[in-house]
Amino acid sequence: MAPFTLAHLSDPHLPPLPKPRLIELAGKRALGYVNWTRNRHKYQRREVLDALVADMKAQSPDHVAVTGDLVNLALEAEFAPALAWLESVGPPERVTAIPGNHDAYVRATSHRFGETFAPYLAGDDGRIGFPSVRRRGPLALISLSTAVPTLPLMATGTLGPDQLASLEQVLERLAAEDVFRVLLVHHPLKSDARQKRMTDAPALLALLKRHGVELILHGHDHVHSTIWIEGPNGNIPALGVPSASALAHGRYPAAAYNLLTIEKDNAGWRCEQTVRSLGAGFQIGQIKHARLI
């Protein structure tokens, strides 16, 4: 069997930001809009995102995982362009997307991600909800949502007890199958930043220690990240990636994506990671290659 290639990008924060209506700039959105107009528009660039996606397509991945934050302030006017962009990445059978905190930025439009991107969220059973499971080649892609509206200056995420309980049932079922389990979640499982953490990460870590998966992919922090999570049969790699539309700025690196090559290796699995990133002249090149499993 040929290796299966999974591309992973995150946090496109699709630019440019549509001009909001005055009525939309209340509470948290007002602060977000000021941040965008003063800072974020300088380094969240559509030409960066387009260059990254073009390079990713040239690698001909079998599937693409997008781990959240497709939009910025969850304005009504952001969702249609974000859907058009996602459709340009690929059709729902070749692309899986999950929401991030910016996709549920305020309560008024927190439902819009599920409505707009339903074909990219639905599990193999056709259900829209989390967790969902999509089988692609040897993979079982398990999608979670930590996207909940939060107070101003907060960017936390939460799974909640119902989603955690359902995830445990999903992992128990998948344990009987010969599949490479990939967990997709927006927030990292470990964070030192109180205002950006997953609030119930300890419960998820405990669940994974009991049941395990082979790989975890996340976004949110806009940096390259590899951490190891304790599983029942050894450590599990958890990979983060920079924003897919970002120029390098401050401590944040330039846009990048992960390319994961997965294949059976005797009785187990082999997984190799290649990282491709924006360089000089808007050229995308390889900056890392490593065996994870």
Side-chain angles (χ1 to χ4, degrees):
M1 181 183 294
F4 189 95
T5 304
L6 174 66
H8 167 224
L9 58 84
S10 197
D11 298 75
H13 289 285
L14 194 71
L17 182 70
K19 186 174 181 179
R21 295 175 296 149
L22 187 60
I23 196 173
E24 294 178 299
L25 292 181
K28 184 170 183 173
R29 275 203 187 122
L31 293 174
Y33 183 67
V34 169
N35 187 29
W36 176 269
T37 55
R38 290 185 177 179
N39 299 301
R40 292 175 69 98
H41 79 280
K42 300 174 186 176
Y43 51 82
Q44 306 284 174
R45 304 282 290 275
R46 181 59 186 258
E47 62 266 35
V48 171
L49 181 60
D50 289 347
L52 197 76
V53 170
D55 184 83
M56 181 189 70
K57 286 184 172 181
Q59 312 307 312
S60 300
D62 296 295
H63 199 77
V64 179
V66 184
T67 51
D69 280 1
L70 275 69
V71 301
N72 295 284
L73 305 183
L75 300 167
E76 279 290 348
E78 288 187 271
F79 288 97
L83 176 60
W85 172 78
L86 193 60
E87 289 172 340
S88 77
V89 175
E93 60 268 22
R94 299 290 297 273
V95 180
T96 298
I98 63 168
N101 56 296
H102 280 261
D103 301 313
Y105 203 69
V106 295
R107 192 170 303 279
T109 53
S110 60
H111 62 291
R112 292 290 286 119
F113 190 93
E115 291 178 350
T116 303
F117 305 107
Y120 291 88
L121 308 177
D124 290 338
D125 58 3
R127 187 177 65 88
I128 307 296
F130 299 97
S132 67
V133 179
R134 301 179 124 198
R135 290 169 174 82
R136 299 293 186 269
L139 274 57
L141 296 160
I142 308 160
S143 295
L144 300 180
S145 174
T146 55
V148 293
T150 58
L151 294 173
L153 304 179
M154 297 296 288
T156 52
T158 301
L159 292 166
D162 291 346
Q163 194 174 174
L164 285 164
S166 296
L167 176 61
E168 185 152 29
Q169 295 173 3
V170 165
L171 294 180
E172 287 173 349
R173 290 198 302 269
L174 290 175
E177 301 184 30
D178 187 20
V179 291
F180 187 93
R181 298 161 296 175
V182 182
L183 191 71
L184 306 178
V185 61
H186 180 67
H187 287 76
L189 279 66
K190 296 181 180 180
S191 177
D192 296 327
R194 181 181 178 278
Q195 73 277 13
K196 295 184 67 175
R197 76 195 192 286
M198 186 195 308
T199 60
D200 46 6
L204 179 57
L205 289 168
L207 192 157
L208 291 172
K209 184 177 179 179
R210 294 194 301 273
H211 298 285
V213 293
E214 279 63 56
L215 179 65
I216 301 163
L217 302 177
H218 70 84
H220 191 55
D221 284 344
H222 295 198
V223 296
H224 297 284
S225 174
T226 303
I227 61 173
W228 298 89
I229 304 299
E230 186 176 1
N233 301 307
N235 289 333
I236 304 163
L239 308 180
V241 71
S243 164
S245 63
L247 295 170
H249 58 287
R251 69 181 183 89
Y252 297 105
Y257 68 94
N258 289 314
L259 205 59
L260 294 313
T261 304
I262 299 150
E263 62 183 322
K264 262 296 195 181
D265 186 11
N266 297 319
W269 294 97
R270 181 184 182 95
C271 177
E272 296 185 358
Q273 174 197 22
T274 299
V275 182
R276 295 183 63 81
S277 178
L278 181 76
F282 282 79
Q283 298 299 306
I284 311 295
Q286 180 176 318
I287 62 169
K288 179 182 178 181
H289 182 84
R291 179 169 178 177
L292 299 172
I293 301 172

